[in-house]
Amino acid sequence: MSVNFTNLITNPSFEKGLSPWAANNGTVASSPVKTGFRSLTFPAGNANGYVSQQFPLSKTEQMEIFYFLAAVGEGTSPPMLITVQYYDLFNRFIGYGYYQPIDAGGLPNGLTGEWKTIYGITTPAPDTAAARAVVVVSKIARAGSLGAAVDDVFIIRGTASGLAGPTGATGTTGAAGAAGPTGPAGPAGTTGAAGASGPTGATGATGPTGHIGPTGPVGPTGATGAVGATGATGTTGDTGPTGSTGSTGATGAPGATGATGPAGATGPVGDTGATGPVGLTGATGAVGATVATGATGTTGPTGATGHIGPTGVTGATGPGTSFSFNQLNSTLPVPPGTETIVNTLTVTTLPGQLVQINAHTEVDQVSSTSGTTFSYELIQRLRRNGDLITDVHVAGGGTKQVGVAFPQDEEPVIIWADVPPPGTHVYTITIQIINAVNVGSITAESRSLHAIVIQT
């Protein structure tokens, strides 16, 4: 038997867990399963999810793709979309090699052993600049829909030939060739002396054998044997590199405005001015006849106004929401094995405040020209005043040709809510590459570090 095909997908049935697949809202589960003991499932309801894997690209051949989908339960299954996507050396999208949507309600109940089998043929890469291919199985959010499962994803390149058929029946024997000519007679023996009969002379030598007649015609060819059985499945292909990291989530809404500070104390009341002098009393009229009342004395002058007291001290401004950031777009080398600071941001906080941190770094890796594979592990860490808060690990690598340097970028993201003590704090983002095999240069490119201070 001759076998000449390969499944380009590594760990197609999720029996070894998630690696080397990349997933969002996708979980390896033990039920439902099509074959083996595991499958990958997506959550029910209004939540998106996907699972993807990069595989070796063939620019001149079409490839066969088949896979199995099922709903997790009885009811309305979610919409699905399965694609094969082509990218160039700089991870720019070029086009689709396969595009298959599945409508809501189109999947059977996998919990009862029913699965939908889907088969298709890819189109060749549309551009000579295509450098890699990625298969993506997406679950689309739909309120009230069931969860979904995928199992046994195969992308096949080449065909298999069966066993050789049995030998055909032997043809009929050709006609006998014509008899060769008779050889010449041997020489006569010598005559004996007269008298008694002498002994009989020896028999003459046999003449030479005649020429062999011509070969008869070849008999007809026997009937063709039956087609052999299908060849066995080929070995699993090499692990594909991890897919690119998803985009950064949206920035949260600003916090509420802090309360107004208390009013300053009122200044003291000024001194009361002196009382003016009393006017003269008019003379008393003689007793008897009524006389006119004397004129009223003039009013004394008003006392001077007292000094205004000093204004009270203004109360402190209440705490509110503040935003700060640091964005860089320069190339920074990252030596393998060394934890390298790629971004820094200083933030000041008051009592009762938390800090929302959003960090994103583009890390470019170019493999060495040695070997046919390369691999590495990238660690992005968030530190406050030198102390580790959290980190993100990304495994990368893939296959390549000997003598070719293959580029690949990673974009790790950290989103973290930190509750520091009051004071001034220095947040740093670092990158470290470990377990590097056949890796050439590594650099940090565009990177951003945002901090939102919120009053709790």
Side-chain angles (χ1 to χ4, degrees), residues 111-154:
L111 297 179
T112 60
E114 300 175 78
W115 289 75
K116 184 178 183 70
T117 304
I118 302 177
Y119 172 85
I121 299 291
T122 67
T123 57
D127 194 299
T128 55
R132 66 187 185 94
V134 180
V135 60
V136 183
V137 180
S138 301
K139 179 260 182 183
I140 300 171
R142 181 186 174 94
S145 64
L146 298 168
V150 58
D151 203 358
D152 296 341
V153 181
F154 288 82

Side-chain angles (χ1 to χ4, degrees), residues 250-259 318-324 347-358 415-423 425 427 450-456:
T251 303
T257 304
T321 298
S322 63
F323 173 74
S324 57
V347 176
T348 300
T349 60
L350 300 174
Q353 291 185 326
L354 65 80
V355 182
Q356 173 73 50
I357 297 291
N358 296 326
I415 300 177
W416 189 263
D418 187 34
V419 185
H425 311 285
Y427 289 93
H450 298 180
I452 303 174
V453 179
I454 303 171
Q455 185 68 34
T456 58

